[in-house]
Amino acid sequence: MAKGYWIARIDIRDPERYKDYVAATKVPFEKYGAKFLARGGEITELEGKARARNVVIEFPSRQAAVDCYYSPEYQIAAKIRQEAADGELVVVDGA
């Protein structure tokens, strides 16, 4: 079974509130087997407009990645993130 990946591109508007988002993700990420492959760090903008924070999270499967997003636990965190940041989040299949 192919793994699933979240790819998130984020611009944080409220760094203090974003800390609450990070704390709120602990339970759903543990529950769905999330593994961070990239989390912030320096970027090199090659094409298009980059966002300040870029995150890649590996899940055991595409379904686990989707289920994590729609879980009640993550939806609480998502509301906090939406208050504190702008961005995009997609799920992609692993090779």
Side-chain angles (χ1 to χ4, degrees):
M1 176 185 321
K3 295 186 179 189
Y5 296 86
W6 280 17
I7 300 175
R9 301 173 55 242
I10 305 292
D11 285 328
I12 299 170
R13 288 182 275 105
D14 183 344
E16 288 305 310
R17 185 70 171 135
Y18 196 81
K19 290 177 187 176
D20 297 333
Y21 163 73
V22 171
T25 62
K26 183 174 175 33
V27 169
F29 286 166
E30 286 179 1
K31 180 177 178 180
Y32 290 94
K35 178 183 175 186
F36 284 85
L37 302 180
R39 188 180 220 174
E42 185 177 343
I43 63 167
T44 301
E45 191 173 75
L46 298 176
E47 292 186 24
K49 179 70 178 133
R51 295 226 181 229
R53 183 171 179 79
N54 299 276
V55 180
V56 179
I57 306 171
E58 179 184 84
F59 289 85
S61 67
R62 169 184 246 292
Q63 192 61 55
V66 171
D67 289 347
C68 181
Y69 179 81
Y70 287 111
S71 71
E73 300 93 344
Y74 185 76
Q75 285 303 299
I76 292 167
K79 286 180 182 166
I80 297 169
R81 178 182 41 78
Q82 292 160 359
E83 293 171 6
D86 298 311
E88 297 84 32
L89 172 63
V90 297
V91 172
V92 298
D93 292 335

